[in-house]
Amino acid sequence: MQVETLGDVLDWTKAAHTSIADCLAHCSQASRQERVRMLLDYLAQHERELSRALTLSKQDASPSALHTWCYEYFKKYPIEPHEQCNEDFRDMDTDLVMAKVLAFHEKVIGLYRYLLSRAEVTSSRELLENLLSLEEHEAMRVARDVGRMQDM
């Protein structure tokens, strides 16, 4: 996927969250560990919800913000989408699964932070601030919820 505008960034991020959700769900079905299956199911559902939130964010964003150019980031720091289920989450323990998922979220957060630091137009800044806040809060929520699940 060619990422050139903030609208493309939203599409890419949505597709990446959906792809990870599909992979997590697929690995959940094959896992023999009940705890890992529960975690993978939860994370897959969470990633799908985040993907839906990004769809709504794009619908609510101003057209001028969505058409803002941002292609230079991806030339400097290419981020590969999780297109194939090449992470075998079913054989990982819960800590490693969480580390992999949170590492992906950190890459997206880094992308949003960089783009926000470069944004000059108010509508673009507002969109990026909202996206950054969404991604940060969802990563914290997942970490908190999984911590609670592991306490059980």
Side-chain angles (χ1 to χ4, degrees):
M1 169 182 225
Q2 184 75 11
V3 179
E4 296 177 340
T5 65
L6 288 182
D8 295 337
V9 168
L10 275 167
D11 291 339
W12 176 86
T13 308
K14 178 183 178 289
H17 283 293
T18 299
S19 180
I20 289 175
D22 292 344
C23 182
L24 291 164
H26 176 270
C27 288
S28 171
Q29 294 171 354
S31 180
R32 287 176 254 134
Q33 302 174 50
E34 181 65 26
R35 219 169 169 70
V36 172
R37 246 190 338 269
M38 286 174 36
L39 174 62
L40 295 174
D41 287 340
Y42 168 77
L43 291 172
Q45 178 185 1
H46 183 267
E47 293 296 329
R48 289 191 203 295
E49 289 172 9
L50 193 48
S51 181
R52 282 190 284 275
L54 290 168
T55 298
L56 296 174
S57 294
K58 186 174 180 181
Q59 291 172 355
D60 291 342
S62 75
S64 63
L66 293 175
H67 295 299
T68 300
W69 292 97
C70 62
Y71 58 88
E72 79 280 350
Y73 180 88
F74 286 91
K75 287 183 178 181
K76 291 181 186 176
Y77 310 103
I79 299 175
E80 295 299 319
H82 195 92
E83 291 178 358
Q84 299 174 347
C85 191
N86 54 7
E87 292 286 350
D88 201 358
F89 291 111
R90 67 178 171 231
D91 294 331
M92 296 179 187
D93 65 13
T94 56
D95 291 336
L96 188 54
V97 169
M98 279 304 299
K100 294 279 187 181
V101 170
L102 290 176
F104 168 74
H105 283 268
E106 284 301 316
K107 286 182 182 179
V108 174
I109 288 168
L111 165 65
Y112 290 157
R113 282 187 182 140
Y114 174 82
L115 294 175
L116 180 59
S117 74
R118 308 278 297 182
E120 297 176 6
V121 179
T122 303
S123 61
S124 298
R125 289 189 64 75
E126 289 174 357
L127 174 61
L128 289 164
E129 286 169 352
N130 291 337
L131 294 173
L132 178 60
S133 177
L134 173 68
E135 196 74 39
E136 287 175 336
H137 284 93
E138 290 304 311
M140 286 187 291
R141 187 180 111 186
V142 165
R144 181 196 67 219
D145 291 351
V146 170
R148 287 180 183 163
M149 183 180 2
Q150 289 179 340
D151 288 343
M152 294 197 298

